[in-house]
Amino acid sequence: MAEAQRSVKDITVTLPDGAKRTYAAGTTGMEIAESISKSLAKAVVAVKIDGAMSDLSLPINKDVSISLVKREDAEGLELIRHDCAHVLAEAVQKLYPGTQVTIGPNIENGFFYDFFRNEPFSTEDFAAIEAEMKKIVERGAPFTREVWDRNEAIKFFKNKGENFKAELIQDLPETEEIKIYRQGEWTDLCRGPHMPTTKHVGTAFKLMKVAGAYWRGDSNKAVLTRIYGTAWRNDKELQDYLTQIEEAEKRDHRKLGRELELFHMQDEAQGSVFWHPKGWTIWVALEAYMRRRLKDGGYLEVKTPQLMDSRFWEASGHWGKYRENMFVVPDVVPNTEEGGKVFKEEPKHFMALKPMNCPAHVQIFKQGIKSYRDLPMRLAEFGCCHRNEAHGALHGLMRVRQFTQDDAHIFCREDQIMEECVKFCELTKAIYKDLGFDDYVIKLETRPENRIGSDALWDKAEKGLEDALKKLGMKYDISPGDGAFYGPKLAFIIRDAIGREWGCGTLQLDFNLPERLDALYTAEDGSRQRPVMLHRAILGSIERWIGIMIENYAGKLPLWLAPVQCVVATITSEADSYAEEVVRELRAKGIRAELDIRNEKINYKVREHSLQKVPYLFVVGKREAEERNVAIRQLGSDAQKVVNMEVAVDDLKQAAQPPY
RNA sequence: GCCGUUGUAGCUCAGGGGUAGAGCAACGCAUUCGUAAUGCGUGGGUCGAAGGUUCAAUUCCUUUCAACGGCACCA
C-alpha cells in the first residue's frame, strides 16, 4: 500500500555522486537545491535533468538523475551568455522602439542578437545600450517560463509587430512546446533554459561589434543587424579576454606580413599576393619540405596547364556549377586600334584559368593504358589555381583569388581506399606536427543535398573515410551535409590567432569524376575498370598555411623556415672584414645569413633585428675578431654566449636542419 | 554579393570650407659605440578615385573603388 502510494506521489532523484533522494512529485530543481543546502540554493542557476539543461523552476514529475548547475560551471557560463543576449534584446527594444527581435544564441566567448530595424545600429549606440542592460540586470526580474498555445503565440507576436518571431513559431515542429520566457515586462520566445533572474547575468559583459547577417542565414532573405557581445562570470575573466584579443591582434598575419616585409597586396591585384624576398623564402623552404615528404610518400609530382578550353571544364562539370567563380578568358586576338573596343568581334571561344587541378590530373592518368599494377597512382602538384571569390570573402592570405594548393589525386582500386586514407591521415598528422600544429579539428563532412552519385556509392564513400579515422583512433566530428558535390570529405581545421577556423588539409573520396571523365584501368582479369579518385591536400592553400603559421608563431618562425636565420652585426668598423668572413662561412654552410656593418650602435642593431624576429644574432666586436669568436644572442633571450666561430657555424647548421 | 565602418607621407595617426601636420622610417652630416631606439639636419603628400555644391573642397553632397568587421559563399 505504502509502496503504491510512493509510486504516485514520490520521485527518486539521483545526484551526480550516485546518492538517491526521494521527493514529492512536482518538486522543482530549486527546491531540491534548497533541501541540500542554503549555499547551494544560492549558487545554483539551472538544473541538468537526465543530461538536458532545464529551468530550476520546472516541476519534476518522474524518477530522474540530476546535476545542479552553478554559475561557475561551464554550462553556467553558457547560461550567462544566453541570458545576456535576452537582456540585450530587452534593452534594445526599450531604447529603440519598433525594432524587431529575432534570435540571440550564446556563442564561443559570448553571444549575439539579430535585430531588424530600418536604421542600422552603430558602435556609438553601445554605451547607451550597455547602460540600459545594466539597469535590467540590476532590477533582477525573474525569468519565468510559460508554455503557450501555438496559435495564441503567433497571434501575440504578430500583434506586437514581431513578424520574425511569428515566423519562427510557425515553423517549429508540431510536437514542440511553444515556450515563452518573461523577464519583468519583456517576453520572448525561447527554447530556454534561463537562470532564475536577470541579476544572475552579472555585469562582466561588453558589446563588441555590429555586423550584418541574413535572416535564417539565407542571402535571399532580409538583412538583420547583429550585435555581438562577450560575457563572463566576473570582471577579471572579461578583462583577461579583452587582453587576449588585443594580444592576438598583434599577431595578425597581415600586420606581421608588412612589418616583417614578407608580402603585400594591392588594389590592382586584389586577392592575389605579391611575395617579397623574405616571404618567398619561407614559401620555398616550406615547398621543399613538402616535396621531400611527398616523394617519400610515393607521390609523383606533375605540372598542368593554367589555362584550358571551356569545353574541358564543361566535361568536368565545373562549367555549369562553378562558372560564376571562374576567371574566363576569351580566346580571341584583341583589337589593337587605339581607343577601340578590346575585342572587335564577340568572342565565341573561351578559355578559363583552372580553379582546381583534378580534371587535369585525370588527363595525365588517362594517357596511355593504365594497369591495376600502376595503382595506386598518386599525382601531386603545387597547383596554382584561380577562383573569383566574392569581395567580402577575401581575407589577407587566408582567402585569396590566386592560391596554390599542395594538391594530389590518388587513383586507386576500391579495396585500396582504406589503406590510402590511413596513409594520408598519418602523413598529415606527421607534417602538422613538424610544422608545429598539434591542435586541429577533424571533421567528416557528409553528403550535401545537391550531389551527384547514388546513395549506395555515398554510403560506401562515407564509410571508407570513417573506417580509416576509426582505425587510426583519430578524434573527429561529423558535419552533415558539408561534403563536396561529388563525395564526402575529411577536413582538417586549424584556428588562427583570434580563433577563426580555416580548413587546411582535406581528403575527398570521389567515385564520380573518373566516371565523368572516363578514366579506366585494366584489371587482373583483363576487364576495364574505373579507378576511385581521392582528392587530397595537406596544407590546403600554401598562402593560407603561411598566414596561419605566421600567426601561430607570432612571426617567430622556426629556424629552418626563418627568412633570415642569422645576422652578423658589428660593434665597430674594426670588425667589418671579420664579420664579412663569418657571413661567408655561414652562407657556405647553407645558412641564410645577413651582414650588418652599418655605423650604428649595437643596441640599435639588436633592437632592430629582434623586432624583425631574426632567430640568431652573431655580434662581433674587436675582441671577437681578434679571438675568432662570435657572441651569440638568440631571439627571445638577452643571454649571450661567446663561442668559437667555426663551432658556432656548425652548431647553427645543425639547428637549422628542416624536420624532414 | 549583402550590412556596417574606414580611407590624410613608406608605417602609426592628428587636423579641418581659404590648397596640410607629428612620431617612426628614408636620405645627408657628425658620432666607432659591447647587447632592445646617438645627435643634428634634409627631402617627401593633386588628403583612395570621379562628379557636384561653392568665389574657394582634402574638408560638405553624390557615385565609385579598396580595405576592415561580420553574413552568405568556399569545387
Side-chain angles (χ1 to χ4, degrees):
Chain A
M1 181 70 184
E3 191 60 21
Q5 219 168 16
R6 196 204 73 86
S7 66
V8 177
K9 291 202 171 160
D10 291 348
I11 53 166
T12 302
V13 170
T14 311
L15 297 170
D17 61 3
K20 289 182 194 301
R21 285 168 168 251
T22 306
Y23 292 95
T27 300
T28 66
M30 184 50 107
E31 284 160 355
I32 294 172
E34 279 165 351
S35 77
I36 296 171
S37 87
K38 263 192 186 155
S39 59
L40 180 62
K42 235 178 156 180
V44 78
V45 291
V47 57
K48 218 171 188 176
I49 301 174
D50 289 335
M53 293 286 284
S54 301
D55 297 290
L56 282 171
S57 60
L58 190 71
I60 302 170
N61 288 312
K62 59 181 174 101
D63 292 352
V64 290
S65 39
I66 67 163
S67 68
L68 292 158
V69 176
K70 288 186 271 188
R71 199 167 175 277
E72 286 64 43
D73 299 333
E75 290 102 332
L77 184 54
E78 286 177 15
L79 290 174
I80 291 171
R81 289 171 178 161
H82 182 202
D83 289 9
C84 199
H86 278 241
V87 171
L88 167 64
E90 181 182 348
V92 164
Q93 288 205 309
K94 168 98 192 285
L95 293 174
Y96 310 96
T99 304
Q100 291 188 54
V101 290
T102 66
I103 54 160
N106 61 307
I107 52 174
E108 192 174 14
N109 300 323
F111 60 90
F112 67 76
Y113 208 110
D114 285 346
F115 299 98
F116 182 80
R117 183 183 173 220
N118 291 329
E119 294 279 303
F121 291 102
S122 106
T123 46
E124 278 160 31
D125 301 322
F126 281 3
I129 299 173
E130 282 175 354
E132 187 61 35
M133 287 171 75
K134 293 206 165 130
K135 276 192 217 161
I136 295 165
V137 169
E138 185 49 39
R139 220 175 287 143
F143 282 102
T144 55
R145 177 186 194 274
E146 296 165 18
V147 175
W148 286 20
D149 171 74
R150 172 178 300 259
N151 292 324
E152 286 293 306
I154 293 172
K155 224 162 89 186
F156 172 79
F157 282 106
K158 276 202 172 147
N159 279 340
K160 280 214 301 180
E162 297 282 7
N163 301 323
F164 294 94
K165 282 287 176 193
E167 187 185 324
L168 280 178
I169 299 169
Q170 238 149 15
D171 292 352
L172 282 174
E174 289 293 334
T175 50
E176 186 110 354
E177 287 182 326
I178 308 303
K179 283 178 272 185
I180 304 293
Y181 281 83
R182 278 184 203 276
Q183 57 199 65
E185 301 292 296
W186 196 75
T187 49
D188 195 6
L189 167 82
C190 182
R191 187 182 301 133
H194 285 280
M195 299 189 290
T197 73
T198 55
K199 193 147 204 159
H200 288 77
V201 169
T203 53
F205 62 79
K206 183 172 160 53
L207 301 182
M208 302 295 283
K209 53 197 176 194
V210 283
Y214 296 111
W215 169 235
R216 304 199 136 179
D218 184 339
S219 57
N220 296 314
K221 295 198 162 120
V223 177
L224 309 169
T225 301
R226 175 170 297 180
I227 296 180
Y228 282 94
T230 187
W232 299 85
R233 285 167 282 221
N234 55 55
D235 287 342
K236 183 177 181 305
E237 281 187 351
L238 173 63
Q239 267 317 315
D240 287 351
Y241 173 66
L242 296 176
T243 310
Q244 185 201 321
I245 292 179
E246 243 173 68
E247 287 302 310
E249 278 167 4
K250 289 185 196 159
R251 331 174 136 218
D252 189 307
H253 74 280
R254 294 164 297 190
K255 184 172 147 62
L256 287 169
R258 185 178 53 243
E259 289 172 1
L260 304 181
E261 300 171 69
L262 304 178
F263 65 89
H264 88 271
M265 299 172 95
Q266 65 186 50
D267 288 9
E268 289 77 8
Q270 46 176 293
S272 300
V273 186
F274 291 78
W275 287 100
H276 294 203
K278 286 182 187 173
W280 189 246
T281 301
I282 299 172
W283 180 301
V284 170
L286 181 62
E287 200 179 76
Y289 163 84
M290 288 304 289
R291 280 210 166 89
R292 292 190 293 273
R293 278 292 196 180
L294 289 174
K295 189 165 170 255
D296 286 357
Y299 288 84
L300 306 167
E301 190 175 335
V302 299
K303 198 75 181 173
T304 60
Q306 212 63 53
L307 205 50
M308 282 181 273
D309 198 289
S310 62
R311 20 173 233 277
F312 180 79
W313 302 108
E314 276 163 36
S316 72
H318 292 90
W319 193 251
K321 208 169 158 61
Y322 292 107
R323 193 172 53 209
E324 60 171 340
N325 290 317
M326 287 168 71
F327 286 101
V328 174
V329 184
D331 187 13
V332 204
V333 179
N335 186 9
T336 52
E337 277 168 34
E338 206 162 319
K341 290 205 298 196
V342 180
F343 301 109
K344 263 189 185 158
E345 47 195 297
E346 197 56 28
K348 291 190 187 83
H349 253 107
F350 292 97
M351 313 277 282
L353 287 169
K354 71 173 166 185
M356 30 111 74
N357 311 297
C358 1
H361 291 184
V362 176
Q363 304 313 306
I364 293 180
F365 180 85
K366 281 174 66 178
Q367 293 295 306
I369 295 169
K370 294 293 175 294
S371 142
Y372 70 96
R373 296 176 208 272
D374 298 321
L375 306 184
M377 178 178 265
R378 310 183 189 90
L379 299 179
E381 176 172 6
F382 293 99
C384 176
C385 298
H386 289 81
R387 290 180 192 175
N388 198 350
E389 304 284 7
H391 283 87
L394 301 176
H395 181 100
L397 294 178
M398 306 301 201
R399 188 84 179 269
V400 287
R401 287 189 171 157
Q402 179 193 304
F403 61 101
T404 304
Q405 293 177 313
D406 63 321
D407 203 4
H409 294 90
I410 301 170
F411 298 87
C412 65
R413 302 190 309 256
E414 255 181 56
D415 61 287
Q416 293 170 322
I417 291 176
M418 172 79 157
E419 194 189 339
E420 288 304 314
C421 290
V422 167
K423 274 188 179 165
F424 169 80
C425 290
E426 283 174 333
L427 182 61
T428 302
K429 204 169 151 184
I431 288 175
Y432 283 13
K433 188 163 186 302
D434 279 353
L435 298 177
F437 292 90
D438 293 317
D439 191 22
Y440 49 89
V441 173
I442 302 174
K443 283 194 181 146
L444 172 59
E445 302 179 343
T446 58
R447 66 194 78 182
E449 237 167 78
N450 285 321
R451 59 177 185 262
I452 53 176
S454 70
D455 283 354
L457 227 48
W458 278 88
D459 288 342
K460 203 154 56 176
E462 286 169 4
K463 189 170 180 302
L465 288 178
E466 197 160 11
D467 285 350
L469 287 172
K470 280 185 180 152
K471 187 174 172 191
L472 288 166
M474 294 175 98
K475 265 206 211 151
Y476 61 95
D477 300 324
I478 292 181
S479 260
D482 284 338
F485 72 95
Y486 49 72
K489 58 183 184 181
L490 290 186
F492 289 71
I493 292 160
I494 295 184
R495 289 175 163 234
D496 68 12
I498 60 168
R500 277 185 285 227
E501 294 188 332
W502 300 98
C504 294
T506 179
L507 172 62
Q508 307 172 9
L509 224 58
D510 182 0
F511 292 90
N512 290 300
L513 203 59
E515 173 91 38
R516 203 174 176 117
L517 295 178
D518 199 26
L520 291 165
Y521 68 91
T522 308
E524 274 176 283
D525 61 3
S527 66
R528 304 280 273 162
Q529 302 285 336
R530 292 255 175 250
V532 182
M533 200 172 165
L534 305 182
H535 307 244
R536 44 110 292 164
I538 290 175
L539 308 180
S541 137
I542 297 183
E543 286 81 356
R544 172 179 295 178
W545 186 270
I546 292 178
I548 291 173
M549 273 210 309
I550 291 168
E551 300 200 350
N552 188 49
Y553 287 108
K556 294 180 210 165
L557 292 172
L559 186 58
W560 69 280
L561 283 171
V564 176
Q565 295 169 313
C566 181
V567 167
V568 180
T570 52
I571 294 172
T572 73
S573 53
E574 285 175 289
D576 285 3
S577 61
Y578 174 62
E580 280 165 21
E581 185 189 342
V582 176
V583 167
R584 269 200 307 278
E585 286 297 317
L586 284 164
R587 288 185 177 164
K589 293 275 162 82
I591 302 291
R592 296 187 286 271
E594 297 295 335
L595 178 68
D596 186 356
I597 54 170
R598 288 175 303 170
N599 177 14
E600 293 290 350
K601 286 188 169 175
I602 193 62
N603 282 332
Y604 180 88
K605 296 186 185 180
V606 167
R607 176 181 154 82
E608 194 164 89
H609 300 304
S610 299
L611 290 174
Q612 281 293 305
K613 325 251 189 231
V614 175
Y616 282 90
L617 194 56
F618 284 4
V619 175
V620 296
K622 201 175 160 197
R623 230 157 43 218
E624 285 77 12
E626 279 166 5
E627 294 163 14
R628 300 191 61 76
N629 289 334
V630 293
I632 303 173
R633 183 186 168 119
Q634 231 182 308
L635 182 62
S637 151
D638 52 8
Q640 304 142 45
K641 206 167 58 173
V642 180
V643 178
N644 171 272
M645 186 256 276
E646 277 166 33
V647 175
V649 171
D650 280 339
D651 286 354
L652 193 52
K653 189 193 167 186
Q654 277 305 313
Q657 285 301 314
Y660 193 87

